[in-house]
Short mmCIF file of all heavy atoms in Angstrom, two decimals:
data_model
loop_
_atom_site.label_atom_id
_atom_site.label_comp_id
_atom_site.label_asym_id
_atom_site.label_seq_id
_atom_site.Cartn_x
_atom_site.Cartn_y
_atom_site.Cartn_z
N TRP I 361 -63.56 88.65 26.43
CA TRP I 361 -63.17 89.81 25.54
C TRP I 361 -61.91 90.39 26.17
O TRP I 361 -61.74 90.43 27.40
CB TRP I 361 -64.28 90.83 25.60
CG TRP I 361 -64.06 92.07 24.88
CD1 TRP I 361 -64.31 92.38 23.56
CD2 TRP I 361 -63.53 93.28 25.45
NE1 TRP I 361 -63.96 93.68 23.29
CE2 TRP I 361 -63.43 94.29 24.35
CE3 TRP I 361 -63.07 93.66 26.73
CZ2 TRP I 361 -63.00 95.58 24.65
CZ3 TRP I 361 -62.57 94.96 26.93
CH2 TRP I 361 -62.54 95.91 25.93
N ASN I 363 -58.70 93.45 26.25
CA ASN I 363 -58.03 94.71 25.86
C ASN I 363 -56.68 94.77 26.52
O ASN I 363 -56.62 94.68 27.72
CB ASN I 363 -58.85 95.93 26.23
CG ASN I 363 -58.25 97.21 25.82
OD1 ASN I 363 -57.06 97.47 26.01
ND2 ASN I 363 -58.99 98.08 25.18
N THR I 365 -54.40 97.03 26.84
CA THR I 365 -53.87 98.24 27.47
C THR I 365 -54.65 98.83 28.58
O THR I 365 -54.16 99.62 29.39
CB THR I 365 -53.77 99.35 26.38
OG1 THR I 365 -55.01 99.59 25.78
CG2 THR I 365 -52.76 98.98 25.34
N MET I 366 -55.98 98.37 28.74
CA MET I 366 -56.74 98.93 29.86
C MET I 366 -56.17 98.48 31.20
O MET I 366 -55.63 97.38 31.34
CB MET I 366 -58.16 98.29 29.84
CG MET I 366 -59.15 98.99 28.99
SD MET I 366 -60.68 98.23 29.21
CE MET I 366 -61.66 99.20 28.08
N GLU I 370 -60.27 100.68 34.74
CA GLU I 370 -60.99 100.82 33.50
C GLU I 370 -61.81 99.48 33.18
O GLU I 370 -62.88 99.55 32.65
CB GLU I 370 -60.09 101.17 32.36
CG GLU I 370 -59.45 102.53 32.46
CD GLU I 370 -58.28 102.70 31.50
OE1 GLU I 370 -57.54 101.75 31.24
OE2 GLU I 370 -58.05 103.83 31.03
N ARG I 374 -65.75 99.06 32.66
CA ARG I 374 -66.27 98.48 31.42
C ARG I 374 -67.19 97.25 31.67
O ARG I 374 -68.28 97.16 31.09
CB ARG I 374 -65.11 98.11 30.44
CG ARG I 374 -65.57 97.39 29.21
CD ARG I 374 -66.25 98.42 28.17
NE ARG I 374 -65.25 99.16 27.44
CZ ARG I 374 -64.77 98.92 26.29
NH1 ARG I 374 -65.19 97.83 25.65
NH2 ARG I 374 -63.88 99.63 25.72
C1 NAG P 7 -58.47 99.33 24.77
O1 NAG P 7 -58.47 100.25 25.74
C2 NAG P 7 -57.86 101.52 25.43
C3 NAG P 7 -57.70 102.35 26.72
O2 NAG P 7 -58.93 102.30 27.38
C4 NAG P 7 -58.72 102.16 24.36
O3 NAG P 7 -58.03 103.40 23.97
C5 NAG P 7 -58.73 101.23 23.17
O4 NAG P 7 -59.63 101.73 22.23
C6 NAG P 7 -59.32 99.88 23.61
N1 NAG P 7 -59.24 98.96 22.43
C7 NAG P 7 -60.29 98.27 22.09
C8 NAG P 7 -60.12 97.38 20.95
O5 NAG P 7 -61.41 98.33 22.62
#
Side-chain angles (χ1 to χ4, degrees):
W361 176 90
N363 182 312
T365 57
M366 271 184 184
E370 294 166 323
R374 175 73 78 97

